[in-house]
Amino acid sequence: MPGLPVSRIVTTAPSVSAPAASSVTHHQRTLRDIFPTKMSSSFYLVFIAIGLHVTGHCFPGTQNEGKGNEVNHSPARNSTLYKMSTSNADFAFNLYRKLTSENTGKNVFFSPVSVSSALAMMSLGARSDTQTQILECLGFNLTEMQEEEIHQGFHHLLHTLNLPNKELELKTGNALFIQKQVKILTKFTTDVQKLYESEAFSTDFSNVSAAEQKINNYVKKKTKGKIVDLIKDLEPNTFMILVNFIFFKAKWEKPFDPLETKQNGNFYMSQSDVIKVSFMHKTEEHFYFVDRILNCTVLQMDYSKNALAIFVLPDEGQMKSLEDTLMSTTLRRWNHLLQKGLVNLYVPKFFISASYNLNTILPGMGIQDAFTNQADFSGISEHYKLMISNVVHKSVLEVGEKGTEAAAVTEIRMEFRSASVNPGTLIVLNRPFLVMILDKATRSILFLGKVMEPMEK
């Protein structure tokens, strides 16, 4: 999101409740119905597409991070990743608070690691205050962590996330679409390819429709068809577009039995606004913790390989106070306090998507010069005055069973009952909750959001 106006960035919840029978409230009532399939959870992150435009010139012709999950890295790399995870988590929660304040009552969902890596990548071409503002906004203390260590840290992070895995699909990367016949500094293209595993494509932006098609086809392919038509209304004086993507798809380590899914349960968006949703159900051992200080319940659910989900269910009326206190130390504290126990769990099936113009958010977080004529991106080009014009982040999340569209459904009416009937602590996500998806090896928050209205796809 550099010195020329940047085109866009596009990228592509849950919580817990109180203990045992005491967690059953008047809000936890009837559910019904059955679905015949296995459940998996999929996240489709669109990207950060950053477009640079010229101004005044024309172109010449957690630690968790999961109990018992050891990080297999050398001490040096482990130390760097630990510092990275702390900074990235604090940035994630700061950005989350900004997004929620501007989207009151709406679902919030984004990929912190995608936004962080894209901005860090752009900082390679930034200089002076522009570079400092970007890195400090990302949560890095430049007196404690040098620029080179930051970029090496992102390199280790992206490389680790992209390691092949048969049980979990996780792929992240960057692509630069650069104005044809424009000279970009060799050091910049070399560094982004080496450190951020980026591809570079020469693009004729004067042919707007062809450029849009080229970028959108790339995005569609990398997200396996989940994100289409990412780039629209491209301007012919675009200098460069950075596209950052992440694709994640995984199955629960302990799947839900589709025969236990209940339809038409009440989800309380507020005291007076109730919608009907399907609830998946199971009674299994999971790590969880009732936080009496932050007034919430925290539940960890593992995916089949190297990833986990954290659901956080605030007590009634405690969402705002919880959001205000979230930081990297919160995750570390929860990690130490989570205990394994039998949980009688109800989780709504849901699909949420969100799109944000981060160029209206990031200046309020400290990245100010990059979006003005004061921007210094001379590390990208010495011949053009660049500034960021637009940063669009788009994301999609789906949690639910597969293959239910063609399944026969049998209606069953039931009520939630106390743990004395169904053994285990009762946790029912039947009001707004937070969700985080974390990578165990790197301690990175891949996705972060708030489910205010769980819509089924």
Side-chain angles (χ1 to χ4, degrees):
M1 316 167 153
L4 299 186
V6 177
S7 240
R8 353 190 130 153
I9 283 185
V10 184
T11 305
T12 36
S15 257
V16 201
S17 84
S22 64
S23 46
V24 183
T25 71
H26 66 285
H27 284 185
Q28 297 167 353
R29 298 190 182 112
T30 61
L31 301 169
R32 61 185 192 184
D33 249 75
I34 297 178
F35 284 85
T37 15
K38 287 209 169 177
M39 176 271 171
S40 65
S41 175
S42 302
F43 292 80
Y44 309 108
L45 167 60
V46 190
F47 326 50
I48 292 178
I50 301 176
L52 302 182
H53 297 281
V54 178
T55 57
H57 293 74
C58 59
F59 293 107
T62 187
Q63 182 172 350
N64 172 192
E65 277 127 277
K67 299 284 184 178
N69 296 307
E70 298 297 329
V71 181
N72 185 23
H73 294 295
S74 65
R77 181 180 295 187
N78 185 66
S79 173
T80 298
L81 286 177
Y82 179 82
K83 287 189 284 187
M84 293 285 296
S85 66
T86 298
S87 297
N88 288 345
D90 285 332
F91 170 74
F93 292 130
N94 287 335
L95 179 54
Y96 170 85
R97 279 184 280 271
K98 287 287 187 180
L99 293 175
T100 54
S101 68
E102 297 199 6
N103 295 274
T104 305
K106 297 180 181 178
N107 292 330
V108 171
F109 187 66
F110 67 103
S111 171
V113 73
S114 181
V115 177
S116 294
S117 62
L119 290 173
M121 179 174 162
M122 292 311 301
S123 77
L124 281 170
R127 297 292 180 265
S128 63
D129 290 345
T130 303
Q131 182 185 68
T132 300
Q133 289 172 9
I134 293 174
L135 295 178
E136 289 184 348
C137 173
L138 292 177
F140 296 107
N141 185 330
L142 299 181
T143 62
E144 298 178 358
M145 197 170 185
Q146 299 300 309
E147 180 192 354
E148 181 180 358
E149 185 181 6
I150 293 171
H151 295 306
Q152 286 294 337
F154 274 106
H155 173 68
H156 294 323
L157 169 62
L158 296 173
H159 178 74
T160 303
L161 292 178
N162 286 325
L163 290 175
N165 191 313
K166 293 181 180 179
E167 298 181 49
L168 178 150
E169 288 187 72
L170 177 58
K171 181 68 176 176
T172 183
N174 302 282
L176 287 172
F177 295 86
I178 303 167
Q179 168 65 35
K180 190 177 182 180
Q181 299 176 336
V182 168
K183 181 66 174 177
I184 286 183
L185 292 175
T186 301
K187 177 172 172 48
F188 178 73
T189 54
T190 299
D191 286 347
V192 297
Q193 289 173 346
K194 178 179 69 175
L195 295 170
Y196 289 85
E197 303 190 2
S198 175
E199 300 178 89
F201 303 96
S202 176
T203 306
D204 182 5
F205 287 110
S206 65
N207 187 339
V208 171
S209 60
E212 288 180 350
Q213 184 178 20
K214 182 175 185 176
I215 298 171
N216 287 333
N217 285 344
Y218 174 88
V219 171
K220 181 178 180 180
K221 179 181 178 181
K222 291 298 183 178
T223 60
K224 301 193 176 182
K226 297 301 177 183
I227 303 299
V228 297
D229 298 330
L230 173 68
I231 300 296
K232 297 178 180 178
D233 304 321
L234 196 61
E235 297 181 19
N237 68 330
T238 298
F239 179 86
M240 181 177 75
I241 286 184
L242 163 65
V243 170
N244 171 281
F245 70 90
I246 181 170
F247 179 86
F248 173 85
K249 184 176 182 180
K251 293 182 178 180
W252 298 118
E253 182 179 67
K254 299 176 180 179
F256 289 88
D257 183 346
L259 296 178
E260 289 290 317
T261 297
K262 320 302 177 186
Q263 196 174 28
N264 287 342
N266 288 339
F267 186 91
Y268 294 80
M269 296 168 56
S270 67
Q271 288 283 352
S272 58
D273 197 358
V274 184
I275 61 173
K276 296 291 185 179
V277 301
S278 298
F279 282 82
M280 301 174 292
H281 171 254
K282 65 177 176 178
T283 302
E284 294 274 3
E285 284 197 337
H286 289 291
F287 285 103
Y288 72 97
F289 169 61
V290 179
D291 192 333
R292 299 302 186 189
I293 297 176
L294 297 184
N295 299 310
C296 64
T297 305
V298 183
L299 171 75
Q300 173 180 313
M301 285 182 59
D302 288 344
Y303 288 101
S304 57
K305 189 71 174 179
N306 207 34
L308 59 88
I310 299 289
F311 295 91
V312 186
L313 183 66
D315 293 348
E316 297 264 7
Q318 297 299 313
M319 175 65 83
K320 181 63 166 58
S321 61
L322 171 64
E323 292 174 327
D324 289 343
T325 60
L326 289 173
M327 53 196 305
S328 59
T329 53
T330 309
L331 286 183
R332 287 200 291 272
R333 175 172 165 269
W334 285 343
N335 180 54
H336 291 307
L337 295 173
L338 287 167
Q339 297 291 326
K340 180 171 280 190
L342 193 63
V343 177
N344 183 18
L345 177 64
Y346 290 86
V347 178
K349 291 172 56 179
F350 63 94
F351 172 89
I352 59 174
S353 63
S355 182
Y356 307 106
N357 290 314
L358 296 184
N359 47 291
T360 65
I361 301 290
L362 295 172
M365 296 178 66
I367 302 180
Q368 298 173 338
D369 290 359
F371 298 92
T372 72
N373 288 330
Q374 300 301 312
D376 183 353
F377 286 96
S378 54
I380 297 177
S381 174
E382 296 175 337
H383 303 291
Y384 299 96
K385 178 66 176 174
L386 307 178
M387 63 176 276
I388 297 175
S389 60
N390 193 17
V391 176
V392 178
H393 183 88
K394 185 175 182 180
S395 52
V396 181
L397 166 64
E398 180 180 2
V399 176
E401 294 106 347
K402 296 293 183 180
T404 59
E405 295 82 0
V409 177
T410 302
E411 283 197 3
I412 293 180
R413 188 174 293 272
M414 63 160 292
E415 294 183 355
F416 290 118
R417 298 185 183 278
S418 70
S420 61
V421 177
N422 289 304
T425 296
L426 180 63
I427 295 176
V428 185
L429 304 185
N430 67 339
R431 59 179 181 270
F433 58 91
L434 308 183
V435 61
M436 294 174 238
I437 307 301
L438 287 83
D439 175 73
K440 294 178 185 177
T442 63
R443 309 177 175 126
S444 298
I445 302 177
L446 302 178
F447 302 91
L448 172 61
K450 173 168 61 175
V451 179
M452 292 291 297
E453 183 178 4
M455 304 297 293
E456 292 188 37
K457 194 172 181 180

